[in-house]
Amino acid sequence: MENSKTKILAIDDNKDNLISLKALINEAFPNVLFFTAQSGEKGIELAKSEMPDVIILDIIMPEMDGYEVCKRLKADDSIMHIPILMVTAIKTDAQSRVKGLNLGADAFLSKPIDHIELTAQVNVMLRIKRAEDKLRDEKKDLEELVLERTYDLKDSEVKYKALYENSPLPYQSLNEDGSFIDVNPTWLSILGYKREE
């Protein structure tokens, strides 16, 4: 599932947890670039600089807990699309999970981390990220195409208006009832009318 450019960021204040997580990730995803941060601030900085495909975030941390880190990650337009897998120490703590989901977390793991569940969750997060990236790329391509077409239409309109206004032949535009909408200067000149008439 992963490729050599896939990046995973783990944020946990416990160095031993990060070492264990790195070993599990490297075993399941040998070509992944794995980054670690031991604080929320450092994790947010790394997320912005490395643009990981998945963030594994511990909830219980001093200074800035995982909820606050998640909230800040999801509030930043440049990194808000990175899936977040939160790690909780209590498997049955529904309140923690609901709070995390409400702040933008995409999934949860419980400690101790099960290797098979970790692999499955990371694979799901990578699929989500790739699908969302593809949609954003397609949207961007479509927006560029619309801008290009809009420019072409405006360019055509300018050319048409110049032809209409500068034509040596008289032209008129009529509505459905046959009333005049517009006439070009040559029409006015040949027939001797003023535009107001």
Side-chain angles (χ1 to χ4, degrees), residues 30-97:
N31 296 323
V32 163
L33 296 174
F34 190 78
F35 301 91
T36 61
Q38 284 188 262
S39 72
E41 280 299 331
K42 182 68 176 164
I44 293 168
E45 287 174 25
L46 270 173
K48 290 177 182 180
S49 66
E50 295 300 331
M51 298 302 290
D53 297 289
V54 176
I55 296 173
I56 302 171
L57 176 60
D58 189 36
I59 292 176
I60 309 298
M61 292 189 293
E63 296 172 32
M64 187 188 314
D65 67 11
Y67 299 120
E68 183 62 25
V69 175
C70 183
K71 182 178 171 183
R72 291 186 188 188
L73 289 167
K74 293 301 180 176
D76 187 317
D77 288 344
S78 68
I79 54 177
M80 68 186 296
H81 301 293
I82 301 170
I84 297 176
L85 181 56
M86 292 190 97
V87 180
T88 180
I90 306 168
K91 195 172 207 130
T92 57
D93 185 3
Q95 277 185 318
S96 294
R97 292 172 187 262

Side-chain angles (χ1 to χ4, degrees), residues 128-190:
I128 290 169
K129 177 77 166 56
R130 287 185 184 115
E132 288 182 351
D133 286 350
K134 183 179 178 190
L135 286 173
R136 274 190 298 282
D137 288 345
E138 288 172 355
K139 180 182 177 204
K140 183 180 174 190
D141 291 346
L142 186 59
E143 287 171 349
E144 288 173 5
L145 183 61
V146 167
L147 282 174
E148 185 180 310
R149 295 282 167 86
T150 302
Y151 174 79
D152 290 346
L153 283 172
K154 286 183 179 183
D155 190 46
S156 292
E157 181 182 358
V158 167
K159 288 177 184 174
Y160 166 77
K161 188 163 177 92
L163 284 172
Y164 184 81
E165 292 291 324
N166 300 315
S167 172
L169 298 174
Y171 285 107
Q172 62 196 20
S173 298
L174 305 174
N175 67 14
E176 297 165 352
D177 300 328
S179 300
F180 286 97
I181 296 172
D182 195 13
V183 295
N184 71 351
T186 305
W187 189 96
L188 293 170
S189 175
I190 290 174

Side-chain angles (χ1 to χ4, degrees), residues 114-132:
D114 178 76
H115 183 259
I116 294 169
E117 185 181 7
L118 171 67
T119 303
Q121 290 278 21
V122 169
N123 274 322
V124 168
M125 296 299 105
L126 290 172
R127 278 198 308 269
I128 290 169
K129 177 77 166 56
R130 287 185 184 115
E132 288 182 351

